[in-house]
C-alpha cells in the first residue's frame, strides 16, 4: 500500500468506518482521561541522543518468549475485529505472519480461535476472558493448546464493562457484548487463586494483561507469571487512571528481571517504542493503530502500519546513537514537556479537517 505515514492510515480508516465502529475503535471510557494520559505520558518523555557512534547498520529485532520479532511491536488482542474487516482475526494473523510479528487472538473476536490459528504458520498468543468456572476455562485453554498457541494471555482489568460514552450515545454495542448474557459475572469473580489454577493447567507461558501497579506485578511474579502486560485497555476501562508508560518504572522495579514487561496504550510512533524500551519494556503492542490499519486496508493495511513503525524506529535508533535494541536504556530518556496540549491524537498534529470525530 502507498501510505507514507500512519496518519494517512488513520485518515483512510476514518473515511471507511461508520460512526459506530469508529467510536468503538477510537474512544475510551467516560471522560476519556485515561486514554488521553496514555498519549500524554509519551509526550512528557524526551529522548537524550548520543553522537559520534557508527550507526550505519541498525538491527531493530528482538526476542520474545523464544520467538524473533522483526521489531519490538506485537498486535494486541482486540475483540469484534469482524466489525472492522470481514476476515476479522484472520486478517491480523496474516499481517503478523507476513511482517514477522506475533498477534494476540482475542477470545471475543471472530472467526474461531481454531480458524485463526490455522490461517497462518506464524506464532500466536491466545487471550482469554473468563466466561465460566474453572472447568470452562480449562476447556478454552485445551482448545488453544490443541490449536498450537504459544502462550496464554489472561486479561484482568475487565471485572466490569466500563461506561464507554461514545458507544452509549450512539446506542451501540459491539457484537461480542450483544451475545453475552450473564456470563460476564465470571470475569468479576477472577481471583489470584483462579489465575494460578489456569496457569497450572495451561503449562505454557502466562501473560497477565491489565497490570497497573507494582504491588500486583510483584504478586504476579510470585505466582510464576512469565510476562507482565501493562495495560488499561487503551483507556477503555477505569477512567482517571495513569498512562501506561508512567506505570512502567515501578513495575520493572517490582519484577526485578523475573518476568518480561510489555505495554500497550497510546503507541503510535517509533519514538514511543524507544521510550518504552528505555524504561525497561521488552516490547509494546498496538491496538487502536492496528485497528486503523485493518480498516484502511485489511491485512495489507496492518502490514503497512508495522512497516512505517519499522522505518521510524530504524531512523530514530540511528539518531539516538544505538544500533541494537538491547543498547537502549534509561539514560536515553528524561522528563520534559509537550510542545502543545497533549491529546489522544497528538502524535499526528497535522491531520487535515480538524478533529477526526
Amino acid at each position: 500500500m502507498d501510505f507514507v505515514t500512519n496518519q494517512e492510515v488513520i485518515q483512510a480508516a476514518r473515511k471507511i468506518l461508520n460512526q459506530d465502529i469508529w467510536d468503538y475503535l477510537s474512544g475510551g471510557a467516560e471522560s476519556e482521561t485515561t486514554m488521553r494520559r496514555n498519549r500524554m505520558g509519551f509526550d512528557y518523555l524526551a529522548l537524550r541522543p548520543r553522537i559520534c557512534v557508527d550507526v550505519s547498520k541498525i538491527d531493530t529485532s528482538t526476542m520474545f518468549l523464544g520467538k524473533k520479532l522483526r521489531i519490538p511491536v506485537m498486535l494486541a488482542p482486540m475483540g469484534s475485529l469482524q466489525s472492522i474487516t470481514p476476515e476479522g482475526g484472520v486478517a491480523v494473523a496474516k499481517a503478523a505472519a507476513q511482517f514477522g510479528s506475533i498477534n494476540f487472538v482475542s477470545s471475543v473476536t471472530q472467526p474461531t480461535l481454531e480458524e485463526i490459528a490455522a490461517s497462518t504458520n506464524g506464532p500466536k498468543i491466545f487471550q482469554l476472558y473468563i466466561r465460566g468456572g474453572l472447568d470452562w476455562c480449562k476447556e478454552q485453554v485445551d482448545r488453544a493448546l490443541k490449536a498450537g498457541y504459544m502462550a496464554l494471555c489472561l486479561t484482568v482489568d475487565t471485572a466490569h464493562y466500563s461506561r464507554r460514552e461514545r458507544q452509549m450515545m450512539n446506542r451501540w454495542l459491539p457484537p461480542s457484548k450483544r451475545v453475552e448474557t450473564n456470563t460476564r459475572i465470571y470475569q468479576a469473580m477472577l481471583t489470584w487463586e483462579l489465575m494460578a489454577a489456569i496457569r497450572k493447567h495451561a503449562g505454557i507461558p502466562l501473560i497477565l494483561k491489565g497490570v497497573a501497579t507494582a504491588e500486583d506485578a510483584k504478586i504476579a511474579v510470585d505466582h510464576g507469571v512469565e510476562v507482565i502486560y501493562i495495560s488499561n485497555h487503551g483507556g477503555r476501562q477505569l477512567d482517571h487512571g495513569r498512562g501506561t508508560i508512567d506505570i512502567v518504572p515501578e513495575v520493572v522495579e517490582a519484577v526485578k528481571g523475573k518476568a518480561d514487561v510489555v505495554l500497550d496504550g497510546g503507541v503510535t510512533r517509533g519514538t514511543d517504542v524507544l521510550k518504552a524500551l528505555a524504561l525497561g519494556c521488552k516490547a509494546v503492542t498496538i491496538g487502536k493503530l492496528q485497528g486503523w490499519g485493518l480498516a484502511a486496508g485489511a491485512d495489507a493495511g496492518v502490514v503497512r502500519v508495522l512497516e512505517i513503525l519499522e522505518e521510524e524506529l530504524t531512523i530514530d535508533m540511528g539518531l539516538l546513537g544505538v544500533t541494537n535494541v538491547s543498547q537502549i536504556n534509561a539514560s536515553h530518556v528524561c522528563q520534559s514537556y509537550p510542545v502543545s496540549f497533549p491529546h489522544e491524537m497528538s502524535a499526528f498534529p497535522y491531520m487535515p479537517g480538524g478533529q477526526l470525530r
Side-chain angles (χ1 to χ4, degrees):
M1 307 193 80
D2 62 355
F3 298 118
V4 296
T5 71
N6 274 325
Q7 72 183 44
E8 283 191 334
V9 173
I10 299 174
Q11 286 176 286
R14 184 64 189 97
K15 293 176 182 177
I16 292 169
L17 293 174
N18 65 40
Q19 193 66 49
D20 289 339
I21 306 303
W22 172 261
D23 287 342
Y24 167 68
L25 175 59
S26 303
E30 299 183 7
S31 65
E32 301 189 341
T33 298
T34 302
M35 183 176 75
R36 291 171 181 263
R37 284 177 177 163
N38 279 344
R39 186 62 241 166
M40 186 185 295
F42 285 105
D43 290 345
Y44 269 100
L45 285 175
L47 294 169
R48 301 181 67 250
R50 302 301 301 273
I51 60 172
C52 295
V53 178
D54 181 354
V55 289
S56 57
K57 295 181 180 179
I58 304 290
D59 181 5
T60 62
S61 68
T62 192
M63 300 294 292
F64 180 73
L65 296 181
K67 303 293 184 181
K68 185 176 182 178
L69 296 172
R70 182 165 150 184
I71 60 175
V73 178
M74 296 179 286
L75 301 172
M78 297 181 67
S80 303
L81 288 173
Q82 69 275 13
S83 298
I84 302 175
T85 190
E87 279 194 299
V90 167
V92 175
K94 288 179 178 178
Q98 180 180 334
F99 181 80
S101 184
I102 296 173
N103 60 306
F104 287 67
V105 176
S106 171
S107 58
V108 292
T109 200
Q110 292 182 6
T112 66
L113 70 89
E114 290 87 357
E115 290 173 291
I116 296 173
S119 65
T120 74
N121 292 324
K124 303 171 189 69
I125 297 169
F126 179 63
Q127 176 270 334
L128 180 65
Y129 285 113
I130 306 300
R131 296 293 184 266
L134 180 57
D135 288 342
W136 180 91
C137 293
K138 288 180 177 179
E139 290 176 5
Q140 305 310 305
V141 170
D142 288 344
R143 288 175 60 193
L145 292 172
K146 185 176 180 180
Y149 285 86
M150 60 174 278
L152 175 66
C153 175
L154 190 61
T155 295
V156 294
D157 64 351
T158 57
H160 293 271
Y161 193 83
S162 61
R163 290 175 56 84
R164 302 176 189 180
E165 294 185 0
R166 294 199 204 190
Q167 295 173 205
M168 293 171 69
M169 290 187 289
N170 292 343
R171 307 301 194 268
W172 184 88
L173 288 173
S176 60
K177 187 164 173 58
R178 291 175 212 161
V179 300
E180 291 179 347
T181 54
N182 60 351
T183 58
R184 182 174 285 275
I185 188 64
Y186 288 100
Q187 192 74 33
M189 298 166 65
L190 175 59
T191 63
W192 289 109
E193 290 74 21
L194 178 57
M195 183 277 294
I198 293 170
R199 178 180 180 274
K200 181 179 179 180
H201 180 76
I204 55 176
L206 180 65
I207 302 166
L208 213 59
K209 179 179 183 287
V211 178
T213 64
E215 294 91 332
D216 283 339
K218 186 178 185 305
I219 296 172
V221 169
D222 289 344
H223 278 80
V225 171
E226 286 84 356
V227 180
I228 305 299
Y229 189 152
I230 299 171
S231 175
N232 51 37
H233 231 84
R236 297 153 65 84
Q237 280 299 108
L238 179 66
D239 200 17
H240 291 272
R242 292 179 293 169
T244 51
I245 192 69
D246 297 322
I247 300 168
V248 173
E250 70 175 66
V251 167
V252 169
E253 171 61 25
V255 303
K256 299 186 183 304
K258 297 177 182 177
D260 285 338
V261 177
V262 301
L263 72 74
D264 65 20
V267 176
T268 50
R269 291 281 191 184
T271 46
D272 300 334
V273 182
L274 284 183
K275 293 172 184 179
L277 297 181
L279 292 181
C281 288
K282 184 69 173 180
V284 305
T285 71
I286 54 172
K288 288 183 172 66
L289 190 55
Q290 172 195 160
W292 291 322
L294 200 62
D299 52 310
V302 178
V303 170
R304 187 62 190 135
V305 162
L306 292 167
E307 289 173 343
I308 291 169
L309 287 175
E310 180 183 44
E311 292 169 14
E312 292 179 348
L313 183 60
T314 301
I315 293 169
D316 296 336
M317 287 174 61
L319 295 175
L320 191 65
V322 298
T323 61
N324 189 290
V325 295
S326 64
Q327 299 169 357
I328 304 168
N329 58 60
S331 72
H332 291 113
V333 291
C334 64
Q335 287 289 321
S336 188
Y337 52 88
V339 296
S340 62
F341 185 77
H343 55 93
E344 71 271 26
M345 294 303 300
S346 62
F348 304 104
Y350 303 119
M351 197 73 68
Q355 293 185 359
L356 285 177
R357 178 163 164 71

